[in-house]
Amino acid sequence: MKITDLQKLDQNIIKFLSEHRGIEQAVKGRILAQNLNIDFRTLQSRIEYLHKQGCAIGSIDNGYFIPVNEAEHRAGIIKKQRTGIAINNAVNGYILAELDWIDQLFEED
C-alpha cells in the first residue's frame, strides 16, 4: 500500500502523525482532530480503519504516536488490549443485567 492509495483524510492523518514519531511525541486526539478539522469520533474511526490496513498507530493516555521501537509498539498493544478487556467487561455486565435492575435498586426491604 502507498499513501496515495488512501483517502485524503487518511493521508492527512498519517502525514500529521509522521511528525509524532515516538511515544514522547504523542499528540492528543482532540488536538489532532482540531488540526484536521474533523470531530474526535471521525478521527477514531479513521485510525481504526488505518489499523486494519496495517498502520501501526499507537495510542496511550497521552495521545497518538508512531512507535519507533518494540517497547513503544508493545505499549500501544497493551493499551488496546486493556481497552478491549474493559469493553468486554461492560458488555458482559450489560448481558447479565436483569431488565428490572433499576427497580431492584430502589426496593425497600
Side-chain angles (χ1 to χ4, degrees):
M1 173 179 69
K2 300 285 185 194
I3 195 158
T4 53
D5 296 333
L6 298 170
Q7 294 180 32
K8 197 67 170 165
L9 176 55
D10 297 336
Q11 290 179 28
N12 290 339
I13 290 169
I14 290 173
K15 287 175 186 175
F16 191 96
L17 287 174
S18 71
E19 300 297 320
H20 295 272
R21 294 178 195 221
I23 206 164
E24 295 298 322
Q25 301 299 316
V27 60
K28 291 280 187 192
R30 303 240 181 250
I31 292 171
L32 177 53
Q34 278 181 334
N35 276 276
L36 297 169
N37 292 319
I38 58 174
D39 61 67
F40 184 64
R41 296 225 184 256
T42 299
L43 175 66
Q44 290 176 310
S45 171
R46 297 318 307 162
I47 288 178
E48 182 179 332
Y49 169 80
L50 290 168
H51 284 151
K52 291 176 189 172
Q53 301 308 307
C55 299
I57 299 170
S59 65
I60 56 169
D61 292 340
N62 290 338
Y64 294 103
F65 65 98
I66 303 296
V68 295
N69 57 46
E70 191 55 38
E72 291 181 358
H73 189 243
R74 187 82 185 124
I77 292 169
I78 289 168
K79 170 72 172 167
K80 296 216 173 300
Q81 287 174 327
R82 287 182 179 152
T83 300
I85 290 167
I87 291 169
N88 190 52
N89 289 341
V91 169
N92 286 338
Y94 189 77
I95 289 169
L96 296 173
E98 297 180 31
L99 290 177
D100 66 342
W101 69 270
I102 192 82
D103 296 328
Q104 289 179 29
L105 284 178
F106 292 104
E107 273 183 9
E108 294 192 23
D109 293 325

